[in-house]
Amino acid sequence: MKQVTASAPGKLIILGEHAVVYGKPAIALAIDRRIRCTLSEAQETTLNGRPFEPGKHPYLRSMMQHGSGPVRIFTESSIPPGSGLGSSAALSTSFLKALNTLNGIDKSGKELATDAFLTEYEVQGRASPLDTSASTHGHGISVNGPEDAGEHLWDIVMNDKTWSVRDLRVPNMTLVVGYTGLHAATGPLVEKVRRYKSKFKFADDIIDEIGETTVDGMKALKERDLVRLGDLMTNDHKLLSILGVSCKELNKLVNASLKHSYGAKLTGAGGGGSMIALTDEPEKVCESIALHGGTPFVVRTEEPGVRIE
Ligand code: MEV
């Protein structure tokens, strides 16, 4: 029986979430938390040993409806779902890589990132290709940054928007994640920002400011200026709060981290999920996050992208 395993990393967003959906710049890093997806041919589709229930698994349903025969699916994940750390992108990317390989199709880079993005777009109703590009390429990526931001990888176009994805080299730095334990689905938060934007014209200025903050962040990364980068991250958290995607629990963990950090912010869609802190004192930040009800962990970046195992 033919069997294929693929794995793909989660990610954290340093700057630019939500605004990137509107074509603004963003920075994401793949992290050392992955989803492994093992597929084999079967008479009927099963998921982790049970009959597959499409209604409970919208990402898998969306990917399977594009012409897959029945498959036996096993998934293993070290990324909490709804944690803002890219579990849906890692699932989409690893599943598509395994499915294509099982069917003798060789897709990687732009082609794979685009297919995984279309899955997120379909399930969430709106999305940017940031998470799926980070999961495909691994390491660090910038989207819609200046030309000198790094080697150009691919462009993804949808409706009237183009996202230009570049490899991003980042200096050695320590990031601590604080997971609130609150599961937050991305689609409704992206929709919340859309509604806010259509109701209040000033939200466009906030989105623009997130974009400018992100471009400054790319410069700070290039200059290895962690003090500046930290300030920009904290400012970005303020802007995201104005858009209504932070929450009490995230604010509490951000506040708790700031004393021992260059800066801190929510990461991903918000509404729960996780925050990140840029720090030289990871033990102290972890202690403080735990004391305030979060689950802390230090992440390693420079993680490779999707791969066959
Ligand atoms: C979610 O990880 C990032 C968002 O910007 C949505 C997206 O880019 O698709 C909130």
Side-chain angles (χ1 to χ4, degrees), residues 11 13 16-21 84 86 120 124 126-131 186 190 268-269:
K11 60 86 199 46
I13 299 174
E17 52 270 268
H18 285 290
V20 69
V21 173
E120 294 225 306
Q124 290 166 202
R126 193 176 280 259
S128 81
L130 177 67
D131 295 9
T186 302
V190 169

Short mmCIF file of all heavy atoms in Angstrom, two decimals, residues 11 13 16-21 84 86 120 124 126-131 186 190 268-269, ligand 1:
data_model
loop_
_atom_site.label_atom_id
_atom_site.label_comp_id
_atom_site.label_asym_id
_atom_site.label_seq_id
_atom_site.Cartn_x
_atom_site.Cartn_y
_atom_site.Cartn_z
N LYS A 11 3.67 29.07 12.16
CA LYS A 11 4.36 30.35 11.97
C LYS A 11 3.97 31.33 13.06
O LYS A 11 2.98 31.14 13.77
CB LYS A 11 3.99 30.96 10.60
CG LYS A 11 2.49 31.24 10.42
CD LYS A 11 2.06 32.55 10.94
CE LYS A 11 0.69 32.90 11.27
NZ LYS A 11 -0.36 32.46 11.89
N ILE A 13 3.59 35.70 13.33
CA ILE A 13 3.64 36.93 12.55
C ILE A 13 4.28 38.00 13.42
O ILE A 13 3.81 38.28 14.53
CB ILE A 13 2.23 37.35 12.07
CG1 ILE A 13 1.64 36.25 11.17
CG2 ILE A 13 2.29 38.68 11.31
CD1 ILE A 13 0.20 36.47 10.75
N GLY A 16 2.16 42.95 10.90
CA GLY A 16 1.38 43.11 9.66
C GLY A 16 0.11 42.29 9.52
O GLY A 16 -0.58 42.41 8.50
N GLU A 17 -0.23 41.42 10.52
CA GLU A 17 -1.46 40.63 10.36
C GLU A 17 -2.67 41.55 10.18
O GLU A 17 -2.67 42.71 10.57
CB GLU A 17 -1.70 39.64 11.51
CG GLU A 17 -1.66 40.18 12.91
CD GLU A 17 -0.26 40.11 13.47
OE1 GLU A 17 0.12 39.14 14.12
OE2 GLU A 17 0.45 41.14 13.27
N HIS A 18 -3.69 41.03 9.59
CA HIS A 18 -4.94 41.71 9.22
C HIS A 18 -4.72 42.73 8.10
O HIS A 18 -5.40 42.65 7.08
CB HIS A 18 -5.63 42.35 10.44
CG HIS A 18 -6.30 41.30 11.30
ND1 HIS A 18 -7.42 40.62 10.89
CD2 HIS A 18 -5.97 40.80 12.53
CE1 HIS A 18 -7.76 39.74 11.84
NE2 HIS A 18 -6.89 39.82 12.82
N ALA A 19 -3.76 43.67 8.27
CA ALA A 19 -3.54 44.63 7.20
C ALA A 19 -3.09 43.92 5.92
O ALA A 19 -3.39 44.35 4.81
CB ALA A 19 -2.50 45.66 7.63
N VAL A 20 -2.39 42.78 6.08
CA VAL A 20 -1.89 42.03 4.92
C VAL A 20 -3.04 41.51 4.05
O VAL A 20 -2.90 41.35 2.83
CB VAL A 20 -0.94 40.88 5.38
CG1 VAL A 20 -1.68 39.78 6.11
CG2 VAL A 20 -0.17 40.28 4.21
N VAL A 21 -4.20 41.29 4.66
CA VAL A 21 -5.37 40.84 3.89
C VAL A 21 -5.74 41.91 2.85
O VAL A 21 -6.28 41.61 1.78
CB VAL A 21 -6.56 40.56 4.85
CG1 VAL A 21 -7.85 40.25 4.09
CG2 VAL A 21 -6.22 39.41 5.82
N GLY A 84 -3.38 30.92 16.73
CA GLY A 84 -2.74 32.02 16.02
C GLY A 84 -1.36 31.65 15.50
O GLY A 84 -0.62 32.51 15.02
N GLY A 86 -0.71 29.35 13.10
CA GLY A 86 -0.69 28.82 11.74
C GLY A 86 -1.03 27.35 11.60
O GLY A 86 -0.56 26.69 10.67
N GLU A 120 -7.45 28.24 2.30
CA GLU A 120 -7.73 29.17 3.42
C GLU A 120 -8.76 30.21 2.98
O GLU A 120 -9.64 30.58 3.76
CB GLU A 120 -6.44 29.86 3.86
CG GLU A 120 -5.43 28.90 4.46
CD GLU A 120 -4.80 29.44 5.73
OE1 GLU A 120 -4.26 30.56 5.70
OE2 GLU A 120 -4.87 28.74 6.75
N GLN A 124 -12.12 30.53 5.05
CA GLN A 124 -12.24 31.72 5.88
C GLN A 124 -13.08 32.81 5.24
O GLN A 124 -13.47 33.76 5.89
CB GLN A 124 -10.84 32.30 6.17
CG GLN A 124 -10.04 31.41 7.11
CD GLN A 124 -8.57 31.76 7.17
OE1 GLN A 124 -7.76 30.92 7.54
NE2 GLN A 124 -8.19 32.98 6.80
N ARG A 126 -12.05 34.98 3.29
CA ARG A 126 -11.12 36.05 2.96
C ARG A 126 -9.79 35.68 3.61
O ARG A 126 -9.79 35.10 4.70
CB ARG A 126 -11.64 37.35 3.58
CG ARG A 126 -11.01 38.63 3.13
CD ARG A 126 -11.74 39.76 3.79
NE ARG A 126 -12.99 40.07 3.11
CZ ARG A 126 -13.14 41.07 2.26
NH1 ARG A 126 -12.13 41.87 2.00
NH2 ARG A 126 -14.28 41.29 1.68
N ALA A 127 -8.69 35.95 2.98
CA ALA A 127 -7.39 35.58 3.58
C ALA A 127 -6.28 36.23 2.77
O ALA A 127 -6.51 36.70 1.65
CB ALA A 127 -7.21 34.05 3.55
N SER A 128 -5.09 36.24 3.34
CA SER A 128 -3.90 36.59 2.56
C SER A 128 -3.06 35.32 2.42
O SER A 128 -3.27 34.37 3.19
CB SER A 128 -3.08 37.65 3.30
OG SER A 128 -2.28 37.02 4.29
N PRO A 129 -2.10 35.30 1.51
CA PRO A 129 -1.24 34.10 1.37
C PRO A 129 -0.06 34.09 2.34
O PRO A 129 0.88 33.33 2.15
CB PRO A 129 -0.76 34.17 -0.08
CG PRO A 129 -1.03 35.53 -0.54
CD PRO A 129 -1.84 36.27 0.45
N LEU A 130 -0.10 34.93 3.40
CA LEU A 130 1.04 35.04 4.32
C LEU A 130 1.32 33.72 5.03
O LEU A 130 2.44 33.20 4.99
CB LEU A 130 0.75 36.15 5.35
CG LEU A 130 1.80 36.36 6.43
CD1 LEU A 130 3.10 36.90 5.83
CD2 LEU A 130 1.29 37.33 7.50
N ASP A 131 0.30 33.15 5.68
CA ASP A 131 0.53 31.95 6.51
C ASP A 131 0.95 30.76 5.66
O ASP A 131 1.87 30.01 6.02
CB ASP A 131 -0.75 31.57 7.27
CG ASP A 131 -1.17 32.62 8.29
OD1 ASP A 131 -0.57 33.71 8.29
OD2 ASP A 131 -2.10 32.36 9.07
N THR A 186 -9.88 32.04 12.67
CA THR A 186 -9.41 33.21 11.92
C THR A 186 -10.54 33.90 11.15
O THR A 186 -10.63 35.13 11.14
CB THR A 186 -8.28 32.78 10.95
OG1 THR A 186 -7.25 32.18 11.73
CG2 THR A 186 -7.71 33.95 10.18
N VAL A 190 -11.23 38.00 10.77
CA VAL A 190 -10.98 38.71 9.51
C VAL A 190 -12.28 39.43 9.09
O VAL A 190 -12.26 40.59 8.64
CB VAL A 190 -10.49 37.71 8.42
CG1 VAL A 190 -10.47 38.35 7.04
CG2 VAL A 190 -9.10 37.18 8.78
N GLY A 268 -1.01 36.65 14.80
CA GLY A 268 -2.07 35.91 14.10
C GLY A 268 -3.37 36.69 14.15
O GLY A 268 -3.36 37.92 14.26
N ALA A 269 -4.48 35.97 14.14
CA ALA A 269 -5.77 36.65 14.01
C ALA A 269 -6.21 37.37 15.27
O ALA A 269 -6.99 38.31 15.22
CB ALA A 269 -6.83 35.63 13.58
C1 MEV B 1 -3.81 35.03 10.44
O1 MEV B 1 -2.72 34.23 10.86
C2 MEV B 1 -3.33 36.24 9.67
C3 MEV B 1 -4.44 37.17 9.18
O2 MEV B 1 -3.77 38.32 8.63
C4 MEV B 1 -5.31 36.51 8.14
C5 MEV B 1 -4.60 36.28 6.82
O3 MEV B 1 -3.57 36.90 6.54
O4 MEV B 1 -5.13 35.46 6.03
C6 MEV B 1 -5.31 37.66 10.32
#
